[in-house]
Amino acid sequence: MVYAHNKQVRVAVLDDHPMVRTVFELCLKHEPDIHLVGTWASSNELFNQLRSTVVDVLVLDFLLGERELDGLALVKQLRNHHPQQKILISSSMESPAIVKMVLSAGVKGFIGKSHNMQEITHAIRQVAQGRLFLSKEVAYEVENLYVMSEESLDDSLDFSSKGNMYEKVKTLSPREVEVVRCFLDGLSVSQIAVKFKRSRKTVSGQKQSALKKLGLRSDSELFKYSHDLMSGY
């Protein structure tokens, strides 16, 4: 499917991983209806380039490096300065809470980095045509985000199993998900506070709230169940 008979979809990519940018450059040049107008590594470069570059679809990594404006804050700033910009999130953070949050902020699509390039180009074309794009798996998870089974609501159950831990992850707020994800990636509370421009006290409170919802008592327990938690993202 092509975007239009005589018009290419102008695409730009923001991702702080050089390999990811290179993959887009190599793959999109073989798509006759898609023109890659830029690949950028930082949010500052993104805003500078958008002043003079027309982009139909911006493929945006959700989580960038330390001290970078990213996540929901970046989406909101883009929406404020470029309200007509169509945004497709491409992220390894395939959390239904994150997806629901960015859709509410005006993002037109979300595709996980676990998908292949053929699926990503399909998502680009759908977003370019003004359609909302979610993979079937993500759409199902978002639709059932806060639907908890009666068993998972029973405090007497053992939540150490993978299935029940996955259900508990769904009770976290989007910001708690961000904090836990970054903490498991090795960032300290102070680094997370700098990254998301929040106070250290706020981030610490969000982390403690997440631990309580997950039924965990310490950092060591958080890392012990990191595999189950990451599968919930």
Side-chain angles (χ1 to χ4, degrees):
M1 179 188 296
V2 295
Y3 180 52
H5 292 297
N6 298 310
K7 182 180 179 181
Q8 290 182 309
V9 181
R10 294 162 298 196
V11 175
V13 176
L14 174 66
D15 198 295
D16 61 342
H17 290 88
M19 185 178 294
V20 172
R21 299 196 300 274
T22 300
V23 168
F24 272 96
E25 291 168 357
L26 292 174
C27 293
L28 293 187
K29 69 180 181 180
H30 299 295
E31 303 295 333
D33 60 321
I34 296 177
H35 174 51
L36 185 63
V37 298
T39 59
W40 307 315
S42 70
S43 52
N44 282 337
E45 188 178 7
L46 165 68
F47 283 107
N48 288 335
Q49 293 296 326
L50 284 180
R51 294 172 184 170
S52 57
T53 306
V54 177
V55 178
D56 295 316
V57 178
L58 174 62
V59 181
L60 189 70
D61 189 9
F62 189 77
L63 189 62
L64 302 174
E66 186 180 347
R67 297 184 181 277
E68 279 289 333
L69 177 67
D70 63 3
L72 184 61
L74 177 55
V75 171
K76 287 184 174 180
Q77 189 158 325
L78 278 166
R79 296 291 296 158
N80 287 337
H81 290 85
H82 305 277
Q84 303 305 315
Q85 180 65 65
K86 296 183 181 76
I87 301 172
L88 171 66
I89 297 291
S90 174
S91 178
S92 59
M93 294 178 65
E94 299 181 50
S95 159
I98 294 293
V99 176
K100 187 171 183 179
M101 177 179 67
V102 296
L103 292 179
S104 297
V107 164
K108 292 299 183 182
F110 185 102
I111 187 164
K113 288 187 175 179
S114 60
H115 293 261
N116 61 41
M117 186 55 69
Q118 183 177 3
E119 292 170 306
I120 293 174
T121 54
H122 173 65
I124 289 172
R125 293 184 178 104
Q126 292 294 302
V127 171
Q129 294 180 55
R131 299 173 183 171
L132 179 67
F133 178 86
L134 295 175
S135 67
K136 291 181 180 179
E137 298 82 3
V138 168
Y140 176 82
E141 291 292 346
V142 170
E143 184 179 354
N144 296 279
L145 180 56
Y146 295 115
V147 178
M148 304 288 289
S149 66
E150 292 182 4
E151 290 82 5
S152 67
L153 293 172
D154 188 347
D155 290 336
S156 66
L157 289 177
D158 177 12
F159 283 98
S160 63
S161 68
K162 180 175 181 179
N164 285 327
M165 183 59 77
Y166 178 80
E167 292 297 327
K168 277 207 157 187
V169 170
K170 294 181 181 180
T171 69
L172 302 184
S173 72
R175 291 198 171 190
E176 289 167 348
V177 169
E178 287 180 333
V179 168
V180 170
R181 179 68 172 83
C182 289
F183 189 75
L184 291 175
D185 278 346
L187 274 65
S188 67
V189 168
S190 296
Q191 289 172 319
I192 298 170
V194 170
K195 181 174 184 62
F196 293 114
K197 301 185 185 304
R198 305 172 198 164
S199 70
R200 190 182 186 283
K201 182 177 179 181
T202 296
V203 171
S204 180
Q206 289 165 342
K207 178 188 162 196
Q208 292 305 316
S209 176
L211 285 172
K212 184 176 180 180
K213 289 180 181 179
L214 294 170
L216 304 177
R217 295 168 294 180
S218 65
D219 292 352
S220 60
E221 287 190 354
L222 186 63
F223 280 102
K224 178 180 178 181
Y225 294 108
S226 61
H227 176 74
D228 292 348
L229 291 169
M230 297 292 277
S231 68
Y233 295 150

